Amino acid sequence: MDVDALQGALRMLFLLDRAGVSPDEGSYAERVGAVAVISAERKLQALHFWMRNPDYLAYELLCCIENRELDGSWLDTAEQLLEGDEPELHRFPMLRHRFGAYEPIDDSFSYLVAAGLALCHRSGTPGQVQRTDLYLLQAGRDAAIGIIADHPEIEWYGERADTVAMVGKTLSGYAAKNRQYRLSEYAETQLGERIQPVADVVRAKIAEMRGSL
Amino acid sequence: MTEGSFLDAVAEKCGHPVEAIASLLAASRVPTADTVGAPHRLRVTRLRFSGQKAGMLTDAIEFDQEFSDGLWGICSSKNDAGKTSILEIMMWALRGAPKRLQDDVRTWLNFVRLEGTVDGVPFDVNFQLDNGFPTGALTCEGDVRPFASEAAFSDTMSQFMMERLGFQSFSLWVEGQGMATHHWPSYSTVLYLPRETNGAIIGDRAGDGVAQRLVQLFVGIRWAQTTSMCQAALRQAEAEETKREADLQAQQQTVRSLAAGSLGTKRTELALTRVRLEALPTGLPTDEVIEAARADWLALITQQGHLNDRFRVAQGNALHAKTQVDRERRRLTNITEAALARRLFHGLNPSRCPRCSTDIGADRKKDERENHACAVCFRELDLDLDAEIDETPISADDADEMQSADDLRRLVDDLDLASSTENRLAEAIAEEVARLSSRVSSAEARVKMYADLTEQVGQRRLLATRVAALEAVVAELENLTTDESAQQLLPEPQDLARLEILRAATTEALRRRSGGFAEVVEAVNAAILSLALRFGFATLQEVKLGLGAQLKLVKGGASTSFSKQTPGEKLRLRIAVVVALLRVAHDLHVGRHPGLLLIDSIGAEETEPGDLGQFLSELGSICSELRIQIFVASARPEVPQYIPEGHLVQAKPDGYMW
């Protein structure tokens, strides 16, 4: 059983559901039945990184608060992301690739496609794919809602995806990566090595921000 | 007459051990056996001297005369003819040092030679003179002893005569001068009776004990040498003891006055120091309390160190357990979630190609159903055809997963329990750490508080020490200034022993000497009286020679003494004493007089020529009787007729002897 790919499929299902945007009227996506779209695979990669690394996600929340994109109440959310067993249990470190955190999403995404829950739309020519957009179908949204109803223990997928959506849904994939680079630990990670946790840095920053609020 | 050992007798008297007595007496050169010996005889057999007169007379000096036993006269008709010089030159050669030789005569001489015998053994003293200073030699039986200075000459003669005549040096304590040791020059005074007399009945010195010693020696009184040496040593020891006491008293007086001087100062200082000490705040911790606080703190921080070590270990254990449980719990979550996802995705028939997202058509689904070829990839499906069509919601794979998930869950529960235990342990130690930490803080605070008091505590210690020291000093000074503090002036034990031994030895020696004196004194007194009468001292009735060399007389029915006699009577008595000693010595075979007498200016004091004639005749017969040699020098014209034939040395035709 390919545990990583299966969990990845779950994460993408929820990311598409919570962070995807409704397709434009009359667009190709609408025509093929998509209910939510994440344009460009790179953006999905970036959002997926936050999904897997709650400490980086918390840091991003702090940045948004500093930039006044989010209000101060989100500090609690950031803190909860670091509290208890959260970082230990729901952290899935990634390898760093040329363009930042990257793991092929194809294996995970193929579960969604084969099951008729999502679609993958590529543009360009074979071997020269310019762009890959990801579509969630109605069956996928139904499945996301249904699985949480049946299995409340995985509700955190939805909550995490909501938070990721808060910090990332307005960003392009490229911009999201840039933000991730800001964390020195992340940038300093050698190519092909596991990205290091930054929970301590984030805790310090939270304390600092609480002090200044 | 037999006597016990002198040392034993002294030991019995003083109670000190014989060894100590022997050692002390040897150190003081006290003979512990009687040393009376047979008399030795000294003779002058020839005297030669030469030189050159200077001044008014410029004649060459040549004198050469041989002598034999008996009475010899050296006579001239006028005074200052050189008679005395002959006797003086003789004495110079015998003593090794001139006695009263006139300085001019001494510078005139360039050569002197005296030949003589001791107990018949010939000896020869000859010396050249350069400006009156001697260079020469003493020769006796091939023993040649050269000398080239006055001191060496004197020493050479002294050594020779002391050896040959059996004399020992003797010591006399002279008040105010200390111990004086006497050698041949003192003994030789018994040979010569110069013109000027000074009150001594023998020798030429009165009052310093020499005459007394000479009388005792020449009478031959037993134990005289021992007594004399004991007395000298005792008087020296007593003088030293007296000085020691005086020094000690002076020292004590000095100490008392110094103590009295500083007592006031020290009392004031003590009072001031007490005031300063009392001015310090009360309740200062003692050194012990401070030290205890420091020790307490040290013990606590040591304990803290150990506890911290324990805490780190417990913390490490807890972390390890937590890491383990987290890892396994994540595995469990992963497995559970993956299983959930699989069931979700597998519960759906594939509707699109996951690669190209193209719909899987009805034909493909039909083919999969009928030919068991995957509708997506056309590979043959691995199906159990005999099994019923899948109606159950859980596949075989799912069952395995559930089984392993259950195992994992139990493992997680176990690990969770272990982690909690480790955590509790670590927390318990952490509480201990916290408790100890507060104890350390308070102990540290106490030490710091004491440290702030260090200066005052140190000052109190300093002042307390100073007060104690001053109290001791004041007490000592008070003690020193009271009379009771005067130390007993007891002699040191060794000094006391020395005094006791010397006193006992002196007492014993005096006792023995008295016995010795009693043996001879009657004979000596009889001899003196008889000789004095023969010498023309007609009124003399009784003579008593004392051990102290005093001569008591009864003359014309009245008691008198030697010093009250006329010069002529004195001379007769002096000669009588010496001759009496010689006689007694001769009769009893004791005494040490060498039997040589030089008498200057005999008859100078005489008024009655008849008396002088009788005196000289008697001297002549005594010389024959006792086989002694006597030289008399005289300017009296009647003297030569009483000198035996051939024994007269007379002046040359010019009136001078040489």
Side-chain angles (χ1 to χ4, degrees):
Chain A
M1 186 168 74
D2 186 353
V3 173
D4 277 354
L6 283 166
Q7 281 182 305
L10 276 179
R11 284 191 293 269
M12 285 173 203
L13 177 67
F14 281 98
L15 270 177
L16 278 170
D17 182 38
R18 308 296 173 100
V21 296
S22 300
D24 295 337
E25 212 170 307
S27 64
Y28 172 76
E30 192 187 44
R31 275 186 275 128
V32 296
V35 292
V37 176
I38 291 177
S39 303
E41 185 187 338
R42 181 174 288 154
K43 180 166 180 180
L44 182 66
Q45 289 276 13
L47 299 178
H48 191 206
F49 176 82
W50 281 326
M51 192 77 184
R52 300 180 61 148
N53 294 284
D55 44 351
Y56 281 80
L57 176 60
Y59 181 81
E60 200 52 46
L61 276 176
L62 302 185
C63 293
C64 291
I65 296 167
E66 278 184 328
N67 297 340
R68 308 203 177 279
E69 292 161 7
L70 292 175
D71 65 43
S73 66
W74 285 91
L75 269 180
D76 295 338
T77 312
E79 206 157 41
Q80 280 158 16
L81 283 171
L82 303 173
E83 264 176 15
D85 293 338
E86 182 71 27
E88 310 303 331
L89 273 185
H90 298 145
R91 185 174 189 278
F92 306 89
M94 302 173 82
L95 291 173
R96 185 178 174 233
H97 201 256
R98 272 186 67 189
F99 299 106
Y102 179 85
E103 272 181 26
I105 62 168
D106 297 15
D107 284 351
S108 295
F109 206 76
S110 66
Y111 281 110
L112 300 181
V113 174
L117 304 180
L119 280 177
C120 181
H121 174 67
R122 295 182 178 82
S123 51
T125 55
Q128 283 289 310
V129 177
Q130 295 291 317
R131 174 189 172 115
T132 305
D133 293 334
L134 302 159
Y135 302 159
L136 180 71
L137 301 177
Q138 187 57 51
R141 178 152 282 164
D142 294 344
I145 292 164
I147 196 167
I148 286 176
D150 293 343
H151 301 281
E153 71 268 25
I154 61 165
E155 191 172 0
W156 73 270
Y157 276 89
E159 290 165 0
R160 174 77 55 88
D162 282 338
T163 309
V164 172
M166 279 306 296
V167 300
K169 70 181 170 189
T170 58
L171 294 175
S172 71
Y174 188 76
K177 277 276 176 268
N178 271 349
R179 291 180 75 154
Q180 288 166 4
Y181 271 121
R182 281 196 307 236
L183 256 183
S184 60
E185 281 84 356
Y186 176 75
E188 283 167 8
T189 304
Q190 295 294 306
L191 288 178
E193 280 186 7
R194 291 265 174 179
I195 291 167
Q196 297 302 306
V198 295
D200 291 341
V201 176
V202 178
R203 278 193 194 95
K205 192 166 171 71
I206 290 171
E208 182 194 324
M209 289 175 68
R210 282 206 188 282
S212 66
L213 276 178
Chain B
M1 174 172 184
T2 54
E3 285 174 311
S5 148
F6 180 73
L7 287 175
D8 287 343
V10 175
E12 202 178 319
K13 272 193 161 64
C14 66
H16 287 282
V18 169
E19 295 73 28
I21 297 167
S23 143
L24 175 66
L25 294 182
S28 305
R29 300 191 304 114
V30 174
T32 55
D34 189 21
T35 51
V36 172
H40 301 273
R41 286 282 175 261
L42 178 63
R43 292 287 174 276
V44 176
T45 53
R46 187 179 181 183
L47 178 68
R48 277 188 284 170
F49 53 85
S50 58
Q52 185 77 44
K53 292 180 188 171
M56 288 170 65
L57 299 165
T58 54
D59 313 353
I61 299 170
E62 277 300 337
F63 181 87
D64 186 357
Q65 177 68 51
E66 293 188 359
F67 305 103
S68 59
D69 281 9
L71 178 67
W72 282 82
I74 297 165
C75 301
S76 67
S77 55
K78 62 170 189 173
N79 285 324
D80 295 330
K83 302 181 295 293
T84 299
S85 292
I86 292 171
L87 298 184
E88 289 283 350
I89 290 166
M90 219 179 260
M91 281 306 289
W92 185 3
L94 290 171
R95 283 162 46 92
K99 210 162 159 60
R100 296 178 196 174
L101 183 61
Q102 288 172 322
D103 288 343
D104 53 352
V105 177
R106 188 173 163 176
T107 57
W108 294 346
L109 295 175
N110 56 31
F111 174 74
V112 175
R113 178 170 185 176
L114 181 142
E115 292 169 43
T117 61
V118 178
D119 293 337
V121 176
F123 68 91
D124 167 353
V125 185
N126 70 81
F127 50 98
Q128 304 286 334
L129 288 154
D130 181 13
N131 278 328
F133 293 100
T135 306
L138 165 70
T139 308
C140 180
E141 291 184 302
D143 176 16
V144 180
R145 304 186 191 185
F147 49 84
S149 69
E150 283 191 301
F153 185 18
S154 171
D155 189 54
T156 302
M157 292 314 297
S158 188
Q159 296 259 357
F160 177 73
M161 290 297 178
M162 299 284 280
E163 284 165 24
R164 294 288 172 150
L165 301 176
F167 292 146
Q168 287 168 318
S169 61
F170 61 94
S171 302
L172 291 170
W173 180 263
V174 183
E175 218 56 63
Q177 291 176 32
M179 190 71 93
T181 301
H182 294 269
H183 303 277
W184 171 237
S186 295
Y187 281 111
S188 68
T189 58
V190 302
L191 305 182
Y192 190 36
L193 281 68
R195 189 181 307 165
E196 293 82 14
T197 55
N198 58 4
I201 60 163
I202 193 167
D204 61 359
R205 290 195 292 201
D208 62 358
V210 176
Q212 178 184 353
R213 177 78 198 99
L214 293 177
V215 165
Q216 292 167 9
L217 183 84
F218 291 124
V219 172
I221 299 170
R222 298 188 304 111
W223 296 102
Q225 171 78 357
T226 300
T227 305
S228 162
M229 294 303 283
C230 275
Q231 284 174 323
L234 176 59
R235 290 178 70 183
Q236 180 177 27
E238 283 172 343
E240 284 169 8
E241 181 56 25
T242 305
K243 183 172 185 308
R244 190 190 71 81
E245 285 175 10
D247 287 352
L248 194 56
Q249 270 172 346
Q251 255 174 26
Q252 286 182 347
Q253 189 49 47
T254 308
V255 166
R256 266 198 295 276
S257 58
L258 284 174
S262 52
L263 184 56
T265 316
K266 291 296 171 190
R267 275 183 179 145
T268 309
E269 196 183 339
L270 175 58
L272 288 174
T273 312
R274 278 190 181 131
V275 167
R276 284 177 64 203
L277 181 60
E278 281 155 17
L280 286 175
T282 51
L284 284 176
T286 63
D287 288 338
E288 290 74 25
V289 167
I290 293 172
E291 192 42 51
R294 202 195 320 276
D296 184 37
W297 173 68
L298 279 173
L300 282 173
I301 61 170
T302 307
Q303 199 184 342
Q304 191 179 39
H306 294 157
L307 195 59
N308 282 340
D309 289 345
R310 273 179 60 207
F311 177 64
R312 274 191 290 279
V313 170
Q315 217 176 16
N317 289 344
L319 186 66
H320 180 68
K322 173 86 162 62
T323 309
Q324 273 190 318
V325 73
D326 283 349
R327 189 179 64 228
E328 295 310 320
R329 181 174 285 140
R330 182 147 67 198
R331 263 183 68 207
L332 177 62
T333 306
N334 292 347
I335 287 169
T336 313
E337 288 178 0
L340 191 66
R342 200 158 73 107
R343 280 201 296 280
L344 174 67
F345 301 135
H346 281 198
L348 302 168
N349 278 323
S351 59
R352 291 173 190 269
C353 170
R355 177 67 181 154
C356 63
S357 298
T358 309
D359 269 347
I360 294 168
D363 52 337
R364 285 215 174 187
K365 287 183 179 171
K366 182 170 175 271
D367 197 37
E368 188 182 272
R369 236 178 0 257
E370 291 172 359
N371 301 319
H372 304 143
C374 172
V376 177
C377 64
F378 299 123
R379 287 199 176 84
E380 187 179 356
L381 292 174
D382 179 19
L383 297 174
D384 182 0
L385 298 178
D386 298 333
E388 289 185 38
I389 298 302
D390 189 2
E391 293 293 338
T392 58
I394 298 169
S395 69
D397 277 355
D398 288 344
D400 284 350
E401 281 162 17
M402 285 173 75
Q403 180 60 44
S404 76
D406 284 345
D407 290 346
L408 199 53
R409 197 166 286 119
R410 276 192 294 276
L411 176 64
V412 167
D413 288 346
D414 290 348
L415 287 173
D416 216 16
L417 194 65
S419 173
S420 311
T421 308
E422 295 293 352
N423 245 334
R424 271 198 305 283
L425 278 173
E427 278 163 11
I429 296 175
E431 280 170 24
E432 252 185 278
V433 167
R435 276 197 301 276
L436 189 61
S437 171
S438 87
R439 284 177 65 197
V440 166
S441 302
S442 60
E444 197 172 275
R446 204 143 46 95
V447 168
K448 278 181 181 157
M449 182 183 78
Y450 289 159
D452 293 340
L453 296 173
T454 299
E455 199 180 327
Q456 285 182 322
V457 170
Q459 204 181 1
R460 184 193 58 188
R461 182 169 50 239
L462 211 67
L463 289 173
T465 310
R466 185 79 190 124
V467 163
L470 282 168
E471 281 170 349
V473 167
V474 166
E476 181 61 23
L477 287 175
E478 282 169 347
N479 194 29
L480 280 174
T481 47
T482 56
D483 284 333
E484 293 82 62
S485 77
Q487 284 173 30
Q488 285 291 310
L489 297 178
L490 282 177
E492 298 292 317
Q494 69 271 21
D495 293 339
L496 190 63
R498 181 183 172 205
L499 283 170
E500 286 171 357
I501 290 170
L502 287 175
R503 281 187 186 124
T506 304
T507 308
E508 178 63 16
L510 280 167
R511 192 185 68 75
R512 291 183 180 220
R513 192 189 64 177
S514 298
F517 184 61
E519 287 164 17
V520 295
V521 71
E522 290 306 321
V524 170
N525 287 341
I528 294 171
L529 180 62
S530 146
L531 285 165
L533 291 172
R534 281 171 71 184
F535 292 160
F537 202 150
T539 55
L540 195 62
Q541 292 167 291
E542 201 181 322
V543 174
K544 251 186 180 168
L545 180 66
L547 266 173
Q550 70 279 35
L551 198 60
K552 286 179 178 166
L553 309 170
V554 178
K555 194 173 92 176
S559 288
T560 181
S561 67
F562 173 76
S563 57
K564 290 175 181 160
Q565 307 310 306
T566 67
E569 286 167 339
K570 276 188 183 171
L571 180 66
R572 279 171 171 75
L573 279 172
R574 297 178 86 216
I575 296 168
V577 166
V578 172
V579 175
L581 296 182
L582 281 163
R583 161 152 287 164
V584 172
H586 177 264
D587 293 347
L588 302 179
H589 299 287
V590 294
R592 289 285 171 72
H593 198 287
L596 171 66
L597 269 181
L598 283 63
I599 305 168
D600 191 21
S601 303
I602 200 164
E605 304 85 2
E606 302 300 321
T607 48
E608 294 289 327
D611 287 354
L612 186 60
Q614 189 191 342
F615 179 33
L616 289 170
S617 301
E618 287 300 329
L619 269 185
S621 43
I622 283 165
C623 281
S624 312
E625 208 179 314
L626 300 181
R627 298 181 174 284
I628 60 175
Q629 190 180 35
I630 299 178
F631 294 90
V632 294
S634 182
R636 293 282 292 246
E638 65 272 38
V639 167
Q641 58 183 298
Y642 299 106
I643 299 299
E645 194 174 341
H647 281 207
L648 186 62
V649 182
Q650 284 188 291
K652 296 186 290 178
D654 61 0
Y656 292 103
M657 297 303 297
W658 32 266

